[in-house]
Amino acid sequence: MNKPLAGALFAVLLLGAGTAPATAATSHDAAAPSTVKAAASSSHTAVKAKARTKAVGFAGTVALSNCSGSVVRTPGSQPGDPALVLSNGHCLESGFPGPGEVVLDQPSTRSFTLLNAAGNGVGTLRASKVAYGTMTDTDISVYQLTSTYAQIESSYGIKALELNTAHPVQGTAITVASGYWKRTYSCNVDGFVYRLKEGEWTWKDSVRYTSACETIGGTSGSPVIDDATGKVVAVNNTGNEDGQECTDNNPCEVDENGEVTVRQGINYAQETYGIVPCIGAGSVFDLDAEGCALPKP
């Protein structure tokens, strides 16, 4: 994973920045043994960059103590609803959730630095709880804040980023916007991974970037933004750092037939369209809602 910056292993693994829990974190790069099929570097540049219609700034992104994140809303969110912050499950202050573990409605007072379009901190937001968090099937954490969307917009002039409701599309021009580093990475969606395996964790239908997105530790939890629409299509989470196979900080790709591919230096994200059906009125997670397929506790 793109490790949080505070942990040595976590820093390599998580694109976040903070103290790593006692348990090892996965990284975004994995070394491939001789038995692993070598991935051609040209495959990452096969998709040509599409013309970007507008520059993506930092408005709505946040910096955590050890990672990046963003204030997000669904198409149905109301101004008076408590605002939500999206990041990675491996960025939770309680440490990495184990395989099969789901965090739901756990109290939290975590703070976030809200950034404007230029990347300047304009205020501090505070969580009331971890509304949802897991590293099973996906790698996400969603915090509910003490402020509403309307209050944030009124105080800082910043609107939440909207979660796209559709599956990402191969070739889409995207920007990874890191609130921790105040840095953006531009590339394209190279393709999708049936199963992305890193250490103890397995993620489904992950987004693979083209090689231009050279994300680093501290970028974990960054929103992946569709350049054409400005909507969030994924959340940045890992990359293969050392070319190892399926180890912490070295995720490997596993296809439907169980064949393993290692792509050293390539980074990944987790799709976010599947979060939308799970968020109901008042920014409350309803894991039994129609269309919600997120793992349950």
Side-chain angles (χ1 to χ4, degrees), residues 39 42 52 58 97 173 181 278:
S42 60
R52 290 181 163 80
F58 297 96
W181 287 116
C278 306

Side-chain angles (χ1 to χ4, degrees), residues 140-287:
I140 62 170
S141 60
V142 181
Y143 290 84
Q144 186 178 112
L145 303 183
T146 57
S147 305
T148 66
Y149 293 111
Q151 288 171 334
I152 292 173
E153 186 171 356
S154 175
S155 297
Y156 308 109
I158 293 174
K159 295 182 179 181
L161 299 175
E162 184 176 331
L163 295 172
N164 196 18
T165 59
H167 190 285
V169 176
Q170 185 177 23
T172 298
I174 54 174
T175 296
V176 181
S178 170
Y180 185 90
W181 287 116
K182 300 177 178 60
R183 176 178 174 183
T184 60
Y185 304 80
S186 295
C187 61
N188 292 72
V189 174
D190 187 46
F192 305 97
V193 183
Y194 176 69
R195 296 291 184 269
L196 188 65
K197 183 173 176 57
E198 181 176 346
E200 298 180 275
W201 296 276
T202 299
W203 303 306
K204 298 179 179 179
D205 195 22
S206 302
V207 173
R208 180 177 62 242
Y209 304 143
T210 51
S211 58
C213 278
E214 299 178 349
T215 48
I216 60 175
T219 62
S220 285
S222 299
V224 179
I225 301 169
D226 182 324
D227 290 356
T229 67
K231 295 181 180 181
V232 177
V233 297
V235 58
N236 182 62
N237 82 309
T238 195
N240 186 296
E241 298 180 351
D242 308 312
Q244 296 174 16
E245 179 188 355
C246 313
T247 63
D248 290 346
N249 303 311
N250 291 280
C252 63
E253 300 182 12
V254 183
D255 68 14
E256 294 89 336
N257 298 317
E259 185 174 2
V260 175
T261 300
V262 170
R263 303 179 190 270
Q264 184 173 0
I266 294 301
N267 297 292
Y268 303 88
Q270 301 306 308
E271 298 164 356
T272 51
Y273 76 99
I275 300 174
V276 176
C278 306
I279 300 175
S283 300
V284 175
F285 270 74
D286 180 2
L287 302 183

